[in-house]
Every structure is written in structure tokens, then in C-alpha cells.
Amino acid sequence: MEIVTPQGQPASILGLAGQQQMDATCVSVAFEALINYFFFYDLKVENFLDGLKSLLGAKREQVLIATGSEDRDIISLRNYLNCVRDRLNINGVDVFFVEYVSPSDDINQVCEVLEALRYWKDSGILRYVGVTTHNRRIAKELIESGQCDVLMHRYNMAHRKVQEDVLPAAQSLDVPVVAFTCTRWGSLLKGHPDWQAEPPTAADCYRYVLHHPAVRLALTAPQTTQQLEQNLSVLHAPPLSSQEATHWQKYGDLIYGNGQDAFETQWE
């Protein structure tokens, strides 16, 4: 399945994710560079939302708006969705994610939420039902159940076990994957004492995740327009070669370490 704008244009391979420190002009710079997918976790990213609202005034049909919530209460979710529509002055959003589904969730409650999102999709206030999770088993089960249109999942040079099960399942069942934490919270950019070559740039990190055919787009969340412009180079870069992929996998193994030291390596 293709993720497309209301006008029918495919989603860009890079999506801009809002954060509180982001320069307000990043939205317009990204759009002018042909980014058409914009994601935010909540309504606290004021600069991002201001820039997005300004863009949507004239370009709504050319833009994909994606958001979501960790809430499992359907009334609260509906209230949040309405707040998003009011904040951006839009009739509906394009992708709405049930965020961070985990083993501690009541699966029946999650299914009820997904059913509510399906109803809202049929009602026209959202276009794609999404799920985000760090858990590979849950991701695979939701893909195979047909309950999500879009999966947002962690994937980067260090966190690669999704290549064994989640990404093949998504590719087989035509469920587009949005990759996030592509730079592993920036740690992939810092190098490693045992790595003698140059560390990857952010664009290298995005090229790596986009190398897998199941990944439809990668999210980037720069703080400044300068960082954004550097990241935008991925839009014009050649596909990753097999030699480059092997090179960065070796680096990712060093960064991952033993996989037991912190939250960021809790899920493989």
C-alpha cells in the first residue's frame, strides 16, 4: 500500500518530525525541498505547529499530517484528535498512530482503540490507521492481523533485528514502515573508540534504513534549519550499496555493544 497525500502524491522518503527546540522555519524549508510528510507526538511543539498551520492554509492537499497518542481511552483520543484539527484548522489528519504498543498493554483495549480508529477512518477524519511499537513480536502480530495500515518502528544501524521478522512481514503484506530513531538518539553520529573510519552523518543513517524495501520513509527531527539542510541531502543521494550496508552494519554492532546497558537497547 502506498501512503499518499490527499492529492494523491506519494509520501516523501524523508519525513519531518516536530520537536520543541525546532526552528519554526524548518517546516517551510522542508516543504520547499519536497518533504510532504509531517509528524508530531503532541501539541507542545509550538514552533513546528505554527509553521505547519501556515503551510496548510494553502497546501493542505499536498501534505500528509501524522500524529498519534499513547492514550488508550477512546474519549481522550477523540478529544486529542479534535484538538489537533482545531490547532491546525483542518478537517482531519492523514495518519493517526496508536503509540508505543507494548507487552504491558491490554491487547483487547488496543483492539478496541484500533476499531475506533477504523470507524473514524470510515467517517473521513483520518485516512490511515497507524501503530508504533518497539516490540517486534507485537509489530509482526499487528501487521499479520491487518489491523494497521502503517507501522512506525525503530530501525537503525544498531537496531537491526527487525530485518529478521518485522520488515519481511511488512513487505510481504504491503504494510509501509516508517522508521524512527534512525540516528539512535544521535549516538550513531558520535563515533566509537574502536571505529577508525569516519562515523556516519545523519544522511548516512537515513540512507541505511531506506535501503530496506519495506521502509517507506525515515523520520528526521533537526533542531535548526542548518541541520535540516544537511539531512535533506538524502533526497538526492544514490541508494546505499551492499558494500556500504556491510560497512555501517559493522559500525552499528560496535554502537549497540552488548545490548543490555540502557533503555535504548532494551528492545532488540
Side-chain angles (χ1 to χ4, degrees):
M1 181 191 71
E2 188 80 73
I3 310 172
V4 299
T5 66
Q7 199 175 61
Q9 294 298 312
S12 49
I13 60 171
L14 198 64
L16 186 66
Q19 59 158 296
Q20 288 183 316
Q21 296 80 21
M22 182 174 285
D23 189 313
T25 59
C26 282
V27 172
S28 60
V29 171
F31 183 77
E32 288 170 8
L34 303 182
I35 298 294
N36 62 12
Y37 185 99
F38 297 87
F39 171 80
F40 52 96
Y41 280 107
D42 53 45
L43 295 175
K44 298 177 183 178
V45 287
E46 291 290 345
N47 289 345
F48 180 85
L49 293 170
D50 287 344
L52 196 52
K53 183 175 181 179
S54 177
L55 174 67
L56 293 171
K59 307 292 186 180
R60 175 66 186 100
E61 296 298 301
Q62 301 174 41
V63 174
L64 282 151
I65 303 299
T67 188
S69 174
E70 295 181 58
D71 211 314
R72 303 294 184 253
D73 177 74
I74 293 173
I75 294 175
S76 298
L77 286 172
R78 181 59 189 255
N79 288 340
Y80 172 69
L81 180 55
N82 287 338
C83 287
V84 168
R85 295 164 70 194
D86 289 343
R87 176 67 174 83
L88 295 177
N89 193 28
I90 54 178
N91 293 327
V93 303
D94 298 291
V95 192
F96 194 94
F97 290 97
V98 183
E99 293 175 350
Y100 297 118
V101 180
S102 75
S104 63
D105 270 305
D106 179 340
I107 192 61
N108 291 325
Q109 187 178 40
V110 171
C111 288
E112 288 175 2
V113 170
L114 289 169
E115 185 178 348
L117 264 59
R118 287 282 172 196
Y119 177 76
W120 299 341
K121 178 180 177 180
D122 292 341
S123 302
I125 56 175
L126 60 92
R127 299 175 55 235
Y128 301 99
V129 174
V131 172
T132 76
T133 180
H134 285 290
N135 186 278
R136 289 158 46 218
R137 176 186 58 81
I138 289 173
K140 191 168 181 288
E141 288 176 354
L142 287 168
I143 288 169
E144 293 174 342
S145 72
Q147 291 180 286
C148 72
D149 301 325
V150 182
L151 174 72
M152 192 160 85
H153 201 68
R154 176 176 59 182
Y155 179 42
N156 56 56
M157 295 172 184
H159 294 109
R160 302 196 311 271
K161 290 193 175 181
V162 293
Q163 294 174 350
E164 300 172 3
D165 44 19
V166 176
L167 297 184
Q171 186 178 0
S172 175
L173 295 170
D174 201 24
V175 174
V177 175
V178 175
F180 70 125
T181 66
C182 300
T183 66
R184 193 178 178 267
W185 300 278
S187 65
L188 285 168
L189 311 179
K190 297 177 181 178
H192 189 277
D194 296 332
W195 184 256
Q196 302 306 312
E198 287 293 317
T201 63
D204 290 325
C205 294
Y206 303 131
R207 286 177 68 225
Y208 180 83
V209 301
L210 290 165
H211 178 65
H212 198 288
V215 177
R216 182 60 192 83
L217 65 91
L219 287 179
T220 183
Q223 294 184 11
T224 66
T225 53
Q226 181 180 9
Q227 291 175 349
L228 172 61
E229 287 168 354
Q230 292 171 350
N231 297 351
L232 289 172
S233 65
V234 73
L235 298 174
H236 310 290
L240 204 71
S241 68
S242 58
Q243 291 84 359
E244 287 177 296
T246 300
H247 177 75
W248 292 129
Q249 286 167 5
K250 291 177 181 177
Y251 175 74
D253 289 342
L254 288 175
I255 299 298
Y256 187 79
N258 62 18
Q260 303 297 321
D261 58 348
F263 164 80
E264 60 200 47
T265 53
Q266 182 175 348
W267 292 285
E268 299 175 342

